[in-house]
Amino acid sequence: MYKTKDGEEIFILDGHVHNWDASPENIKNIHGKQFIDCFYGYHSSLSPPEQLWSPEKFAKYGAEQMVKDLFIDGPDDMAILQPTYLTDFYKNGFNTIEQNAILKKRYPDRFILNGAFDPRDGEMGLDVLEAMAETHHLKGVKLYTAEWRGDSRGYKLSDPGAYKYLERCEKLGIKNIHVHKGPTIIPLDRDAFDVADIDHCATDFPNLNFIVEHCGLPRLDDFCWIAVQESNVYGGLAVVLPFIHSRPGYFAKVISELLFWLGEDRILFGSDYGIWTPQWLVESFINFQLPDDIMKETGKELTMGVKKKILGENAARLYGIDIASQRAKLSRREAMVA
Amino acid sequence: MTALIQARIDEVRAALDQVTDPELDESVVELGFVTAIDITDDGAVAIGFRLPTYWCAANFSYLMAADMRDAAAALPFVTKISVTLDDHMFVDAINDGIAAGHDFRDAFPGEAHADLAGIRLHFGLKSFERRQEALLRHLLAQGYEPAAILALDAAGLQALPLDEEGAILRRRYMGRRALAGPQMAAFVTSAGEPILVETLPVYLRHIRRVGLNAEFNGALCRGLLVARYGAAPTALPAEPELVDFLRLVPPVAGPGSVAPTARR
């Protein structure tokens, strides 16, 4: 929870967090090393200097540090654990649902546990998804359409094979499909950033929500265009929000574009922890004011009401969380611990 | 180094300065991607370059390498060229492919299915829109009437008495104009359709996303390059604006402009 200067309490649902292991012991090959190095590049180029971690801490921070950064020192009320397997790069995977489930078990009211699937797993993968949904009561999945697998250099969510999985998600009550469309892992000629497949899925699966993580960066322009036409497409702010510190002018323009094309109900906050910590992101966002000239041009304002939607209310709606009762639950639990 | 060699290095650099990152529509020299230009007495040129991450898309990397090779090859004194990418997951495939003069598809047999022409056109058209928006906004700010602007043909646009900034914007725009088609009008959409006076504000809103996207990516890539290689090859502006795009004003370093050194 974030408390404003006026004493208002704001519910924060962090839509995008990870607990990864990129320690030297877990790295399988050069790709694993370069992958975490690239993440560290994002961390070090967009964080305020006082928020910088050492590469060693960044490689593996652990569950305790994470809980501290999100909920104790940080303002998050809840956070969504998004898995990233990368088993070709890391011996035990980078950040799997099995690892995340341990955190979820320890802090059941704090975390939402998301699953994953890959349509290239075919029929067997559908069974795995079903079992996963049953065990973990999934309401969401995180997908990497650009991930390599054997000879495949990625897939499109509009492929017939992927549709089978989306149909199954619908049946299993997995309503929220987070798709990584952003700075990506090994794009080759298939345009891994292409957001056009989401356009088709969103039309064909009106009961599912498609959350495009990183707002399709570096194809923000294409993303805005498809999102305006599909009411079940959302934008996740991970990677976009940190610009608020180093490039506030750009951030103002980008958030204004998103407000213009998507609207205030379809933008979700995500810290992308451990790349960035929510404390400074939320603080900066709460205090952020759009310049007058930009406001005049788009006619969109970033009021406290809008900020509250982005920081928690929108994601709470997607995940069926009643903010008032969730708050009560969290404070009861805190009282018990105290 | 002799004066002649130095002069030739400068010429190569000037030629490479015309090569752009397709996605960012900025010069590879300005971006700090070019790390070395060496020339021997008999005209063999060796160009070294680097990218912001190990993962930068192979097709873009290949395209830039091929464009650099071709830009240098056009100089009369060049007898031989090598372009060498460093620190990338596909260094071998890219460097070997460029050295052999292969198409992208041949450099990545069985993996790459499109040649670079499609990508070049796709991003060329984005660059067209970005440059067009900048020029249109400039002309409107100078007080030109929308109807008068949209009625211009290429010769009419060339004849407009513009200030220095306007002239640069015009030159950049005209450098991409042919991509949209052979129409008479100076200003058409990227599909070659006419732009109407009534819908001009909506049209500008629409293409504004393209420029913003490129600027955003540019900031991201510059930051990652600095994070990866420590020192900024060119000083980063604190808050790059259209002026950087125009390259009228030398960038000024400011707070937050240089990311802390990563591991190197």
Side-chain angles (χ1 to χ4, degrees), chain A residues 30-31 33-35 37-38 40-42 44-46 52 55 89 148 153 183-189 193 217-222 224-225 239-240 243 246-251 253-254 257 260-261 297-298, chain B residues 23 53-60 87 89-90 104 108 111-114 122-123 126 137 205-206 208-210 212-213 215-217 219-220 223-224 227-228 236-241 256-257 259-260 262-263:
Chain A
I30 173 77
H31 300 327
K33 172 82 176 89
Q34 290 281 0
F35 186 82
D37 281 359
C38 182
Y40 193 77
Y42 279 91
S44 60
S45 65
L46 292 175
L52 277 185
F89 299 173
W148 284 22
R153 296 298 179 246
T184 194
I185 315 155
I186 336 177
L188 192 67
D189 69 326
F193 313 114
L217 256 181
R219 301 283 186 279
L220 194 71
D221 48 347
D222 297 337
C224 284
W225 189 236
V239 180
V240 177
F243 277 77
S246 55
R247 302 274 188 273
Y250 277 176
F251 178 73
K253 288 186 198 170
V254 171
E257 288 297 302
F260 183 87
W261 296 100
E297 199 173 333
T298 58
Chain B
E23 179 144 52
T53 77
Y54 178 77
W55 312 100
C56 290
N59 49 12
F60 292 147
D87 243 2
M89 71 170 299
F90 291 120
F104 179 60
F108 290 86
E111 294 193 347
H113 304 293
H122 182 76
F123 286 93
K126 286 194 182 212
R137 287 193 190 275
R205 255 248 63 90
H206 187 77
R208 192 183 118 93
R209 294 173 295 130
V210 178
L212 181 60
N213 187 56
E215 286 178 39
F216 204 72
N217 291 338
L220 187 65
L224 289 173
R228 191 172 192 207
L236 259 103
E239 190 74 23
E241 281 293 342
S257 63
R263 293 151 312 284

Side-chain angles (χ1 to χ4, degrees), chain B residues 171-184:
Chain B
R171 194 173 67 237
R172 284 179 63 86
Y173 174 62
M174 290 312 287
R176 292 281 185 274
R177 172 61 186 83
L179 293 174
Q183 305 78 0
M184 295 291 289

Side-chain angles (χ1 to χ4, degrees), chain B residues 121-141:
Chain B
L121 179 63
H122 182 76
F123 286 93
L125 287 172
K126 286 194 182 212
S127 151
F128 163 83
E129 290 183 329
R130 183 186 186 196
R131 294 173 181 202
Q132 184 188 62
E133 190 220 352
L135 177 58
L136 282 174
R137 287 193 190 275
H138 180 81
L139 295 176
L140 290 168

Side-chain angles (χ1 to χ4, degrees), chain A residues 151-166:
Chain A
D151 290 337
S152 160
R153 296 298 179 246
Y155 66 93
K156 288 198 182 298
L157 208 52
S158 50
D159 293 343
Y163 267 35
K164 279 192 184 168
Y165 278 77
L166 293 175

Side-chain angles (χ1 to χ4, degrees), chain B:
Chain B
M1 187 186 305
T2 67
L4 177 68
I5 294 284
Q6 185 56 54
R8 286 180 168 178
I9 287 176
D10 291 344
E11 268 188 74
V12 173
R13 185 179 292 109
L16 297 183
D17 200 33
Q18 299 303 311
V19 175
T20 54
D21 176 309
E23 179 144 52
L24 310 179
D25 197 23
E26 290 184 57
S27 148
V28 293
V29 175
E30 288 279 309
L31 285 164
F33 292 174
V34 177
T35 51
I37 301 170
D38 294 307
I39 304 184
T40 60
D41 291 335
D42 58 355
V45 176
I47 296 161
F49 83 110
R50 64 187 183 184
L51 293 168
T53 77
Y54 178 77
W55 312 100
C56 290
N59 49 12
F60 292 147
S61 313
Y62 204 84
L63 204 145
M64 283 185 269
D67 285 354
M68 282 190 253
R69 178 191 62 199
D70 297 346
L75 296 170
F77 56 83
V78 174
T79 55
K80 209 177 132 192
I81 302 170
S82 72
V83 178
T84 310
L85 172 63
D86 188 26
D87 243 2
H88 189 276
M89 71 170 299
F90 291 120
V91 275
D92 294 336
I94 291 174
N95 292 338
D96 295 350
I98 290 292
H102 282 158
D103 181 55
F104 179 60
R105 244 181 314 207
D106 301 323
F108 290 86
E111 294 193 347
H113 304 293
D115 65 19
L116 298 185
I119 297 164
R120 204 186 290 274
L121 179 63
H122 182 76
F123 286 93
L125 287 172
K126 286 194 182 212
S127 151
F128 163 83
E129 290 183 329
R130 183 186 186 196
R131 294 173 181 202
Q132 184 188 62
E133 190 220 352
L135 177 58
L136 282 174
R137 287 193 190 275
H138 180 81
L139 295 176
L140 290 168
Q142 297 291 310
Y144 290 98
E145 289 298 326
I149 297 172
L150 296 175
L152 290 169
D153 59 12
L157 176 60
Q158 288 298 358
L160 283 190
L162 297 181
D163 60 10
E164 190 190 353
E165 184 185 341
I168 292 173
L169 286 174
R170 174 171 59 196
R171 194 173 67 237
R172 284 179 63 86
Y173 174 62
M174 290 312 287
R176 292 281 185 274
R177 172 61 186 83
L179 293 174
Q183 305 78 0
M184 295 291 289
F187 294 101
V188 292
T189 70
S190 61
E193 305 285 341
I195 301 167
L196 305 176
V197 176
E198 312 80 74
T199 54
L200 180 63
V202 179
Y203 175 72
L204 283 172
R205 255 248 63 90
H206 187 77
I207 58 174
R208 192 183 118 93
R209 294 173 295 130
V210 178
L212 181 60
N213 187 56
E215 286 178 39
F216 204 72
N217 291 338
L220 187 65
C221 293
R222 286 173 192 272
L224 289 173
L225 190 76
V226 171
R228 191 172 192 207
Y229 291 107
T234 49
L236 259 103
E239 190 74 23
E241 281 293 342
L242 193 60
V243 287
D244 301 303
F245 173 60
L246 299 174
R247 281 193 258 135
L248 282 175
V249 183
V252 182
S257 63
V258 179
T261 315
R263 293 151 312 284
R264 292 160 198 261

